[in-house]
Amino acid sequence: MLGNGRCEATCIDGTKRLCHIRGKMHKKVWIAAGDIILVGLRDYQDDKADVILKYMPDEARLLKAYGELPENTRLNEGIAGGIDDEDDGGADDYLEFEDEDIDKI
């Protein structure tokens, strides 16, 4: 994000472009670093584009599953993505207290 309704996006073709967030999305749809967005390229300016749509995390996963995104694309799901299923140390994330310890306090 660069401020004033602008952001810098790295496109699938490897080009970094200065993107303008359209007025309908401005202050209604928040775009963060790592989000998958759809941009409309400009015919007269190759280094600039317009943000048309922000994909939700489940939509981005479907795009990757359908092969629309390159395999090396990392999906940023943030906090809302939840805990990974591959995490083996999930049992150490909480503490368990016995009832008699609570009564002594």
Side-chain angles (χ1 to χ4, degrees):
M1 295 302 298
L2 300 174
N4 199 22
R6 296 176 297 144
C7 65
E8 188 176 53
T10 303
C11 297
I12 292 176
D13 61 359
T15 307
K16 281 194 174 192
R17 291 186 170 93
L18 179 67
C19 297
H20 178 264
I21 300 172
R22 56 185 281 200
K24 187 175 183 179
M25 295 177 62
H26 191 69
K27 292 191 179 181
K28 292 176 181 65
V29 177
W30 296 96
I31 299 172
D35 286 342
I36 305 296
I37 57 174
L38 178 66
V39 296
L41 301 178
R42 296 181 179 180
D43 293 335
Y44 52 93
Q45 293 174 319
D46 189 44
D47 59 339
K48 292 186 180 179
D50 299 304
V51 177
I52 297 173
L53 177 71
K54 174 188 171 186
Y55 290 106
M56 295 297 132
D58 56 338
E59 295 171 332
R61 271 187 259 117
L62 285 174
L63 282 175
K64 192 167 185 180
Y66 293 151
E68 297 294 329
L69 296 176
E71 290 298 321
N72 61 357
T73 303
R74 292 185 353 205
L75 300 178
N76 182 14
E77 297 177 8
I79 298 171
I83 300 173
D84 292 338
D85 294 334
E86 300 170 0
D87 189 16
D88 295 334
D92 297 332
D93 292 342
Y94 64 93
L95 298 174
E96 187 173 319
F97 294 101
E98 296 178 14
D99 291 336
E100 44 190 48
D101 290 339
I102 296 172
D103 293 336
K104 290 179 182 178
I105 296 175

